[in-house]
Amino acid sequence: PLTNVNKNILLYVGIGITCFGEFIRILTVGYTPPGTSGRNTKQQLASSLNKKGIYSVVRHPLYLGNLFMFSGPFIFTGNIFCILIFLLTFWLYYERIMIAEEVYLNHKFKDVFINWSNRTPAIIPKFFNFKKSDLKFSFRKVFEGEYSGMCAIIAVFTVLVVARNSFYEISPVISNSWKILFIGNLVVYIILRVLKKLKRYKFNQK
């Protein structure tokens, strides 16, 4: 039977791995200067090549962060087949994006990109390559760019916990403390979303 101990182990592990992925993204966004490499397959925009900080140990830190972030919920399910299918799907999808980015960067920065890519792995970090970033960490960039992802962590795991507890007829379906966490998270998301909209509106009025 699903005991109180083993039913929470996967929850804690899943949340921990997801938060670790968000932490990687925060380190990346917080030290990323404007005008660096793009993040889509249709149009790449880059006025500079970021080679320091986390980009000195791995070429695609945002996607590495995504890997951990998205893995958490699948690990929470405890289904090895779901985890393997996710990993395969993730690789097939992001490999295409990474190739598109690197073709663009190679064309624009030529030897600079080639030298950097030759010593920096694509997705598995090489930590002894680390070079400190020249930039100061920007909390503003993190909150503006990552608040939705951070808030989504609580929302996603709330849904998963409710679904699991309902399936196994665990009572209560969701604890009072988790309800408070979910509602507080929702309020924070709405506030940050409104502030971002207001900022964008004021900018467009100038």
Side-chain angles (χ1 to χ4, degrees), residues 37-206:
S37 57
R39 293 157 56 181
N40 57 73
T41 58
K42 294 182 179 180
Q43 183 181 13
Q44 302 300 325
L45 300 172
S47 59
S48 63
L49 183 64
N50 197 357
K51 300 180 293 180
K52 293 185 177 181
I54 196 168
Y55 282 94
S56 65
V57 300
V58 63
R59 299 203 303 271
H60 300 281
L62 286 174
Y63 305 145
L64 176 62
N66 288 350
L67 175 61
F68 283 103
M69 278 189 68
F70 300 155
S71 293
F74 287 92
I75 290 174
F76 171 74
T77 67
N79 189 311
I80 187 63
F81 296 106
C82 286
I83 296 172
L84 292 175
I85 291 172
F86 158 72
L87 292 175
L88 177 61
T89 303
F90 182 93
W91 177 252
L92 292 175
Y93 176 74
Y94 276 100
E95 181 187 33
R96 177 172 171 263
I97 297 176
M98 289 188 287
I99 290 174
E101 285 189 4
E102 297 203 347
V103 167
Y104 170 81
L105 294 173
N106 186 25
H107 176 74
K108 183 162 187 174
F109 298 105
K110 299 180 174 61
D111 290 343
V112 175
F113 170 78
I114 293 174
N115 292 334
W116 170 66
S117 63
N118 283 340
R119 67 175 181 269
T120 310
I123 203 72
I124 301 176
K126 188 182 288 186
F127 294 105
F128 59 78
N129 279 356
F130 180 76
K131 293 181 180 179
K132 186 178 180 181
S133 176
D134 298 326
L135 302 172
K136 290 184 178 181
F137 185 83
S138 173
F139 287 98
R140 180 177 178 179
K141 282 185 179 180
V142 169
F143 281 112
E144 289 182 351
E146 293 299 308
Y147 76 93
S148 58
M150 290 186 283
C151 292
I153 293 174
I154 301 299
V156 168
F157 278 97
T158 299
V159 172
L160 291 175
V161 168
V162 170
R164 181 203 62 185
N165 291 351
S166 298
F167 180 82
Y168 288 106
E169 298 182 347
I170 297 173
S171 182
V173 174
I174 186 171
S175 65
N176 289 332
S177 58
W178 196 282
K179 289 178 183 177
I180 294 173
L181 178 63
F182 176 77
I183 294 172
N185 178 72
L186 181 61
V187 171
V188 169
Y189 173 80
I190 293 173
I191 292 173
L192 292 176
R193 185 72 175 175
V194 170
L195 290 175
K196 187 174 183 179
K197 291 284 187 180
L198 289 174
K199 179 183 176 182
R200 186 177 300 170
Y201 174 78
K202 290 179 180 179
F203 178 80
N204 292 332
Q205 294 301 307
K206 293 181 180 180

